[in-house]
Amino acid sequence: MRDIFEEIVRIQREGKRAALASLVWSLGSVPMPRAAKMLVYEDGRIAGTVGGGCLEAEVWERAKDIMKEGKARLLSFRLTEEQ
């Protein structure tokens, strides 16, 4: 896939929508670097990752809501060893 920011420009030029999720802070052991990014397209496809598993599923769900609202948000997630 192209650079994620080039993809965002392409999406905007086509008049489509997507949501960009970016890991900005973490505490403890996490599977992804702080700069991890995931682009969620309006049709539900994704590009990139913020760690997989239940976290990624939750981010995907929230991204769909954010696209409907049209407002950026800073979200916080707490993962336990069980997750």
Side-chain angles (χ1 to χ4, degrees):
M1 185 182 128
R2 319 172 197 197
D3 175 82
I4 202 156
F5 296 110
E6 289 176 6
E7 183 67 4
I8 291 168
V9 170
R10 184 190 68 76
I11 290 167
Q12 288 179 323
R13 284 186 181 145
E14 292 179 2
K16 296 180 180 176
R17 296 182 319 164
L20 177 65
S22 182
L23 182 60
V24 295
W25 186 82
S26 63
L27 178 64
S29 177
V30 294
M32 299 301 296
R34 282 202 188 144
K37 292 180 179 22
M38 181 173 84
L39 190 61
V40 180
Y41 297 82
E42 60 187 335
D43 66 4
R45 291 178 300 125
I46 64 168
T49 183
V50 289
C54 60
L55 171 64
E56 199 148 292
E58 182 68 23
V59 169
W60 181 77
E61 282 293 330
R62 300 277 186 97
K64 293 189 308 181
D65 294 337
I66 289 167
M67 279 187 274
K68 288 177 189 170
E69 296 169 7
K71 289 185 177 182
R73 283 198 249 158
L74 180 62
L75 304 173
S76 178
F77 298 93
R78 179 172 289 228
L79 301 178
T80 65
E81 288 181 26
E82 294 170 358
Q83 295 169 319

